[in-house]
């Protein structure tokens, strides 16, 4: 036995499924009952192997208490106590408690959103319960469940195989061995040494074939759980936007430290006192530090992911939200994305004749019965694929009473479709002793090659196939063979196939696709169709949905091109047909190398490399392989094209609103910095104290993270070109505009304060009016930032931001109370301007 193979776990089946056999008392045709599932879940818990610590209130509170702003507030309170101003210190501590509560609430809410999104992205499993095949979260599996696994799926629990068809599994997560391992069903009389080859282990990836297993262990009792590995232990690297904002905040922090030192020294030089100078420095630091920016980024990404999920798209990597607005090329598959993936047999070709199948067809001519017979035999017994379902349905209707539906035959051997040979074969044991029937279906050119047709015959078949494909049909060839030897050939070419016919399937285009593609094109996004279908099929579909199909490049032509020729092709071609997975990867890389930001859809195991290579990989959630979903950035909760466009639209909106929020953060700190520094440097009495900064923070934080996040979409959002790759969050122009708006507000506030002091008004009165003007200035900056040119044209009048008016109303009420209630005004060192 190889050194890296897993040793069998003794009695692993008998521990969980009674009695001591792989099948136990589980009925493989019905599975467990719902009541039994609940009992087992109560006993064994959830099927989760996860070392990650879930966020709690206490953990969130601990993170908040380590924030620089909180530490500055505590330092300011301590200084007030030392100076003997107990009321000021207690007031500040009360505001500290309020800010901590709001921050913890907001952070925990954001974490809960992220946790709920992770729950949605959890692996799923096909399970048999109550006699029905169901799709459930893998975390809900229990020992004894009958689970189906197929190519591209991650094994959701430990289990014993009861059925296996050409099944091989990658167990490198457990063994470190990258070579896939073949698996076979466990027989009742199997020797013990066969057990490892009949066991599937949680976390392994199915790389080929299909199988059925009975779960023997879940969660921490699995092999993966016993060795303490976690599938979620790998943390995602920081995104470019996170790195940019972190650099931005660090620069602000360095500036704050330098200015604070200058202010402390200046205060000491003018007044001869250190503690008030340190207090002024703390006030300035609180006014400078843009601690809102990391919070803004986290909240925008989390709530943005939830908005996107509401559109039917799951965000697996938050960095994808940043990139959506930069998408310039969208590579899409045809089947199930542009089309409905609801196939029906439309054309049959056999014996030189052709019949069209539609709603008015009463019967299928006898000349096509053999074609339908072998189509059904070449399909799975219980098909999931819409194409094979269509074959079974046609056989059920068209072959009823003909004796060609072989319910008494048994499937004994399979040959899987491969990139090198796009055809598959099923070998059946018939009622005749030693006689086997072999049915094959696949790409017409591959079937012609298997039948060893001459050049002329092949060309005739391909001409018929091209004619059928020109009507937008998906075309397959069908062949048959007989086999009477004991040993099975290694490859399909060793059979003596004879050609049976062609079948054309209709997969209608989704009605909303043409409009969605038009929206992409208006937004400067190229939509490129990459399909494995015939060029004529691709051209027909491309024309119908609005993609340029005038020139089509095939996968064979891509393979023959050098890099220079391929770069020229991708600049002028929007439709690629007969493309293999490795060519799809090459196309994605070519688009990337040409400076495009690429989003790409895919669903199969072979699509995984291209999905990973694209800037934004988009996996199909319903029919996609688990490996495709794992490497993708986004997962479609329904296999449709329209949600992709909605997601791009939302990505642009989220980023535009994020720019506004950061611009506001920059602008709003400038008046606070000026109001703190200038009076001290000039020699006036300080205008602001820490408690004033705290009050302003209670306005700034909700404005940045709530108001701007809920800003409606701008009217011209999807008529703007994609954002340039590598473009900074705040361009020099946007930064200058925000700083200018803040400087204007600062000038007005400081000018008012200076004017009042110059004209002999009492200090409390001057401070009160200046502080009120500063609050009003902060509010005015909201509208100034929303009106900046980079924000785009205004949203429709019907789309109002109700959160803006809620924040403004609360701020207005708080300011009025501050100006009218003497006791409240005194806590802030102000005077009541109105009232008794």
């Amino acid at each position: 036995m190889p050194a890296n193979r897993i040793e069998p776990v003794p009695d692993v089946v008998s521990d969980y499924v009674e009695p001591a056999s792989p099948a136990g008392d589980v009925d493989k045709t019905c599975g467990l009952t719902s009541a039994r599932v609940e009992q087992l879940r109560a006993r064994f818990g959830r099927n989760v192997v996860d070392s990650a610590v879930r966020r709690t209130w206490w953990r969130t509170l601990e993170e908040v208490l380590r924030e620089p702003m909180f530490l500055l507030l505590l330092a300011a309170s301590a200084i007030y106590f030392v100076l003997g101003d107990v009321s000021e210190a207690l007031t500040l501590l009360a505001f500290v408690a309020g800010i901590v509560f709001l921050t913890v609430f907001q952070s925990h809410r954001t974490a809960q959103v992220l946790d709920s999104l992770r729950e949605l992205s959890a692996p799923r499993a096909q399970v048999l319960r109550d006699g029905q095949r169901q799709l459930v979260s893998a975390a809900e599996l229990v020992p004894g469940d009958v689970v189906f696994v197929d190519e591209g799926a991650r094994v959701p629990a430990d289990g014993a195989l009861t059925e296996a068809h050409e099944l091989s599994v990658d167990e490198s997560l457990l063994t470190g061995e990258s070579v896939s391992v073949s698996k076979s069903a466990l027989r009742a009389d199997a020797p013990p040494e066969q057990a490892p080859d009949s066991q599937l282990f949680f976390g392994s990836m199915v790389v080929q074939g299909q199988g059925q297993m009975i779960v023997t262990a879940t969660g921490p009792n699995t092999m993966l759980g016993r060795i303490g590995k976690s599938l979620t232990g790998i943390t995602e690297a920081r995104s470019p936007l996170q790195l940019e904002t972190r650099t931005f905040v660090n620069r602000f922090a360095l500036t704050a430290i330098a200015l604070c030192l200058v202010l402390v020294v200046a205060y000491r030089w003018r007044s001869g006192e250190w503690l008030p100078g340190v207090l002024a420095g703390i006030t300035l630091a609180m006014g400078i530090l843009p601690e809102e920016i990391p919070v803004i980024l986290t909240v925008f990404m989390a709530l943005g992911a939830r908005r996107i999920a509401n559109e039917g798209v799951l965000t697996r990597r938050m960095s994808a939200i940043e990139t959506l607005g930069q998408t310039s090329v969208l590579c899409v598959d045809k089947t199930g994305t542009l089309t409905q993936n609801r196939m029906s047999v439309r054309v049959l070709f056999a014996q030189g004749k052709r019949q069209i199948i539609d709603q008015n067809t009463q019967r299928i001519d006898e000349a096509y019965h053999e074609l339908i017979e072998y189509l059904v035999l070449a399909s799975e017994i219980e098909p999931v694929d819409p194409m094979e379902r269509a074959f079974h349905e046609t056989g059920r209707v068209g072959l009823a009473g003909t004796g060609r539906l072989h319910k008494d035959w048994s499937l004994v051997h399979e040959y899987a479709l491969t990139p090198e040979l796009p055809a598959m074969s099923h070998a059946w044991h018939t009622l005749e002793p030693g006689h086997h029937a072999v049915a094959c279906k696949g790409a017409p050119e591959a079937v012609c090659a298997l039948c060893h047709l001459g050049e002329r015959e092949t060309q005739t078949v391909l001409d018929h196939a091209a004619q059928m494909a020109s009507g937008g049909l998906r075309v397959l060839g069908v062949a048959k063979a007989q086999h009477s030897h004991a040993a099975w050939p290694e490859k399909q070419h060793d059979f003596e196939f004879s050609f049976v016919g062609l079948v054309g399937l209709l997969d209608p285009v989704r009605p909303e696709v043409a409009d969605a593609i038009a929206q992409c094109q208006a937004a400067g996004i190229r939509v490129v169709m990459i399909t494995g279908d015939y060029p004529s099929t691709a051209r027909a579909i491309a024309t119908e949905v609005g993609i340029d199909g005038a020139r089509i490049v095939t996968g064979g032509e891509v393979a023959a091109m050098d890099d220079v020729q391929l770069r020229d092709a991708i600049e002028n071609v929007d439709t690629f047909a007969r493309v293999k997975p490795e060519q799809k990867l090459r196309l994605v890389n070519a688009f990337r190398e040409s400076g495009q930001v690429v989003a790409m859809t895919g669903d199969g195991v072979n699509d995984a490399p291209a999905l990973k290579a694209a800037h934004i990989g988009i996996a199909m959630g319903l029919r996609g392989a688990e490996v495709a979903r794992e490497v993708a950035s986004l997962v479609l909760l329904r296999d449709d094209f329209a949600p992709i466009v909605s997601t791009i639209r939302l990505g642009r909106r989220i980023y535009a609103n994020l720019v506004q929020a950061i611009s506001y953060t920059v602008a709003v700190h400038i008046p606070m910095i000026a109001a703190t520094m200038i009076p001290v440097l000039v020699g006036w009495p300080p205008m602001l104290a820490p408690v004033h900064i705290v009050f302003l923070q209670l306005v700034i934080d909700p404005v940045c993270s709530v108001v701007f996040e809920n800003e409606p979409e701008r009217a011209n959002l999807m008529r703007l070109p994609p954002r340039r790759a590598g473009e900074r969050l705040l361009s020099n122009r946007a930064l200058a505009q925000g700083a200018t708006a803040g400087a204007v507000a600062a000038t007005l506030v400081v000018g008012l304060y200076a004017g009042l002091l110059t004209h002999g008004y009492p200090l409390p009165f001057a401070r009160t009016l200046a502080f009120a003007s500063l609050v009003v200035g902060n509010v005015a900056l909201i509208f100034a930032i929303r009106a900046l040119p980079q924000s785009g044209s205004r949203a429709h009048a019907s789309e109002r931001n109700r959160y803006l008016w809620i924040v403004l109303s609360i701020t207005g009420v708080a300011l009025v109370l501050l100006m009218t209630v003497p006791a409240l005004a005194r806590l802030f060192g102000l005077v009541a301007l109105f009232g008794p």
Side-chain angles (χ1 to χ4, degrees):
M1 182 180 293
N4 285 331
R5 289 297 304 278
I6 304 171
E7 295 293 337
V9 181
D11 297 326
V12 72
V13 175
S14 59
D15 285 345
Y16 303 116
V17 183
E18 300 173 358
S21 83
D25 58 357
V26 178
D27 185 346
K28 292 189 294 181
T29 61
C30 294
L32 297 176
T33 63
S34 298
R36 181 62 174 155
V37 167
E38 292 303 320
Q39 293 173 0
L40 290 169
R41 187 175 296 123
R43 179 182 173 189
F44 296 107
R46 286 167 56 84
N47 178 35
V48 176
V49 179
D50 187 2
S51 62
V53 178
R54 296 182 72 86
R55 182 174 291 269
T56 63
W57 284 100
W58 289 111
R59 187 181 175 199
T60 305
L61 178 62
E62 181 185 355
E63 292 178 357
V64 171
L65 295 182
R66 291 200 303 263
E67 290 292 324
M69 180 62 72
F70 177 78
L71 299 177
L72 287 172
L73 287 169
L74 288 183
S77 300
I79 291 174
Y80 276 122
F81 275 117
V82 172
L83 293 174
D85 196 341
V86 177
S87 63
E88 190 80 16
L90 293 176
T91 301
L92 194 57
L93 286 175
F95 275 106
V96 168
I99 286 182
V100 168
F101 173 77
L102 290 175
T103 305
V104 169
F105 176 79
Q106 188 178 52
S107 299
H108 193 74
R109 177 169 169 260
T110 302
Q112 285 184 316
V113 171
L114 294 174
D115 285 341
S116 65
L117 291 174
R118 291 189 191 100
E119 288 289 334
L120 283 175
S121 66
R124 300 170 301 171
Q126 289 276 357
V127 63
L128 186 66
R129 287 179 181 169
D130 297 317
Q132 295 184 337
R133 190 164 175 166
Q134 305 173 20
L135 186 65
V136 302
S137 169
E140 302 304 315
L141 292 179
V142 297
D145 261 326
V146 178
V147 175
F148 303 92
V149 294
D150 54 16
E151 183 176 302
R154 191 172 287 283
V155 178
D158 285 4
L161 276 169
T162 56
E163 292 183 20
H165 305 285
E166 299 292 320
L167 188 67
S168 59
V169 179
D170 176 4
E171 296 179 341
S172 57
L173 182 68
L174 290 164
T175 66
E177 178 59 59
S178 59
V179 178
S180 60
V181 181
S182 297
K183 298 289 184 176
S184 58
L186 182 63
R187 302 191 314 271
D189 59 345
E193 58 268 19
Q194 187 188 335
D197 293 329
S198 303
Q199 286 278 325
L200 293 183
F201 298 97
F202 188 16
S204 304
M205 184 67 71
V206 180
V207 297
Q208 181 181 319
Q210 296 176 319
Q212 177 181 302
M213 73 176 193
I214 293 181
V215 175
T216 57
T218 57
N221 296 317
T222 61
M223 180 68 74
L224 193 69
R226 292 185 183 189
I227 64 176
K229 277 200 174 185
S230 172
L231 294 175
T232 58
I234 301 173
T235 57
E236 187 177 351
R238 291 182 181 270
S239 70
L241 191 55
Q242 288 175 317
L243 294 174
E244 182 184 347
T245 54
R246 187 179 184 182
T247 302
F248 187 73
V249 170
N250 288 341
R251 288 175 179 173
F252 252 85
L254 291 175
T255 304
I257 292 172
L259 292 178
C260 289
L261 291 175
V262 170
L263 190 64
V264 171
V265 173
Y267 199 98
R268 172 70 174 81
W269 176 64
R270 286 191 172 277
S271 67
E273 296 182 88
W274 280 109
L275 277 181
V278 173
L279 190 61
I282 290 175
T283 305
L284 177 62
M286 292 168 58
I288 294 178
L289 282 177
E291 83 289 343
E292 306 95 341
I293 291 181
V295 176
I296 292 169
L297 188 60
T298 302
V299 170
F300 270 58
M301 294 300 114
L303 297 185
R306 188 172 67 178
R307 291 183 187 276
I308 290 173
N310 292 336
E311 293 293 328
V313 180
L314 180 65
T315 306
R316 286 185 55 87
R317 290 171 179 80
M318 292 298 165
S319 58
I321 299 177
E322 307 169 19
T323 317
L324 283 168
Q326 297 178 321
T327 303
S328 56
V329 173
L330 176 57
C331 299
V332 297
D333 191 12
K334 175 184 72 67
T335 304
T337 306
L338 302 180
T339 62
Q340 298 180 22
N341 203 26
R342 296 179 180 174
M343 294 189 176
S344 59
V345 174
R346 182 51 59 97
V347 178
L348 299 171
F349 174 81
Q351 301 180 18
K353 298 189 296 183
R354 186 163 75 164
Q355 181 175 355
I356 297 176
I357 311 295
D358 57 26
Q359 294 179 345
N360 298 321
T361 301
Q362 299 295 324
R363 59 180 295 275
I364 297 176
D365 293 344
E366 188 176 350
Y368 308 101
H369 286 185
E370 184 181 52
L371 173 60
I372 301 172
E373 174 188 10
Y374 279 89
L375 269 174
V376 174
L377 291 173
S379 304
E380 296 297 333
I381 300 173
E382 295 182 3
V384 176
D385 185 89
M387 178 179 65
E388 295 192 338
R389 286 181 175 178
F391 296 154
H392 275 268
E393 177 62 21
T394 303
R396 186 184 64 82
V397 175
L399 299 182
T402 64
R404 291 182 179 269
L405 292 176
H406 307 287
K407 300 293 186 181
D408 49 357
W409 288 11
S410 58
L411 181 64
V412 292
H413 205 73
E414 297 177 81
Y415 294 87
L417 181 146
T418 64
E420 297 75 25
L421 182 63
M424 61 180 293
S425 297
H426 283 176
W428 296 83
H429 180 67
T430 68
L431 298 181
E432 300 179 30
H435 175 74
H436 298 93
V438 183
C440 172
K441 72 175 189 296
E445 62 269 27
V447 173
C448 288
L450 287 173
C451 295
H452 304 291
L453 298 182
E455 184 177 345
R456 187 172 181 179
E457 293 173 297
T458 298
Q459 191 58 49
T460 300
V461 170
L462 295 183
D463 287 344
H464 282 292
Q467 185 180 4
M468 293 164 65
S470 63
L473 301 180
R474 181 173 184 179
V475 184
L476 295 180
V478 180
K480 65 176 183 177
Q482 305 295 325
H483 184 73
S484 57
H485 303 289
W488 292 102
E490 291 186 6
K491 54 185 183 297
Q492 297 179 73
H493 275 287
D494 294 333
F495 289 109
E496 294 184 5
F497 281 111
S498 59
F499 186 77
V500 176
L502 298 171
V503 60
L505 297 110
L506 177 65
D507 187 6
V509 170
R510 296 182 184 275
E512 69 278 4
V513 163
D515 179 61
I517 289 177
Q519 291 182 49
C520 285
Q521 293 168 342
I525 302 170
R526 280 180 65 192
V527 180
V528 177
M529 182 168 70
I530 304 177
T531 179
D533 265 344
Y534 261 89
S536 46
T537 305
R539 179 177 285 109
I541 299 298
T543 302
E544 186 173 354
V545 301
I547 298 175
D548 182 12
R551 182 185 170 192
I552 295 179
V553 171
T554 65
E557 292 171 333
V558 169
M561 292 178 180
D562 57 27
D563 291 342
V564 175
Q565 292 171 321
L566 185 59
R567 279 197 298 270
D568 177 68
I570 62 173
E571 288 179 3
N572 302 290
V573 178
D574 289 340
T575 305
F576 296 84
R578 271 299 189 249
V579 175
K580 296 180 179 179
E582 62 271 17
Q583 294 155 358
K584 187 179 292 188
L585 174 61
R586 191 180 175 204
L587 286 170
V588 169
N589 285 330
F591 278 118
R592 287 192 57 145
E593 290 166 4
S594 67
Q596 305 292 339
V597 176
V598 186
M600 184 201 137
T601 65
D603 59 357
V605 176
N606 293 325
D607 288 333
L611 286 172
K612 191 172 183 179
H615 293 94
I616 304 175
I618 306 172
M620 300 299 165
L622 297 182
R623 60 187 171 89
E626 187 68 36
V627 64
R629 291 194 292 270
E630 284 191 2
V631 301
S633 304
L634 303 173
V635 177
L636 297 181
L637 299 179
R638 63 179 191 272
D639 295 348
D640 194 354
F641 184 80
I644 300 175
V645 182
S646 300
T647 300
I648 292 175
R649 178 188 295 273
L650 274 173
R652 289 187 171 198
R653 171 188 167 183
I654 292 165
Y655 195 90
N657 290 349
L658 181 60
V659 169
Q660 289 189 80
I662 303 297
S663 298
Y664 177 76
T665 301
V666 171
V668 83
H669 278 79
I670 291 176
M672 289 192 288
I673 295 170
T676 303
M677 283 200 69
I678 292 177
V680 174
L681 295 177
V682 174
W684 302 331
M687 174 183 158
L688 297 181
V691 69
H692 301 133
I693 300 295
V694 171
F695 182 91
L696 293 172
Q697 291 293 336
L698 291 173
V699 176
I700 296 170
D701 286 344
V703 165
C704 292
S705 58
V706 177
V707 174
F708 283 115
E709 198 280 329
N710 283 279
E711 271 290 277
E713 171 189 314
R714 301 304 170 119
N716 65 340
L717 186 70
M718 289 298 282
R719 294 195 297 273
L720 299 172
R723 197 174 72 253
R724 293 193 307 275
E727 182 178 332
R728 288 188 298 141
L729 175 65
L730 277 187
S731 63
N732 291 333
R733 180 187 177 191
L735 194 60
Q737 288 174 335
T740 301
V744 170
T747 301
L748 295 175
V749 170
V750 175
L752 175 63
Y753 184 60
L756 292 172
L757 291 178
T758 303
H759 286 81
Y761 286 93
L763 175 60
F765 180 79
R767 182 177 288 158
T768 301
L769 282 183
F771 178 70
S773 68
L774 182 56
V775 174
V776 173
N778 282 358
V779 171
L781 284 174
I782 301 173
F783 295 93
I785 294 299
R786 293 170 81 240
L788 288 178
Q790 83 267 12
S791 300
S793 60
R794 295 301 306 157
H796 300 292
S798 60
E799 298 181 55
R800 297 189 180 277
N801 187 347
R802 63 188 180 94
Y803 291 95
L804 170 63
W805 302 107
I806 292 174
V807 170
L808 293 184
S809 299
I810 294 173
T811 304
V813 170
L815 187 59
V816 168
L817 291 174
L818 197 60
M819 298 294 102
T820 57
V821 179
L824 192 59
R826 283 194 297 272
L827 289 176
F828 281 80
L830 308 175
V831 294
L833 299 179
F834 310 102

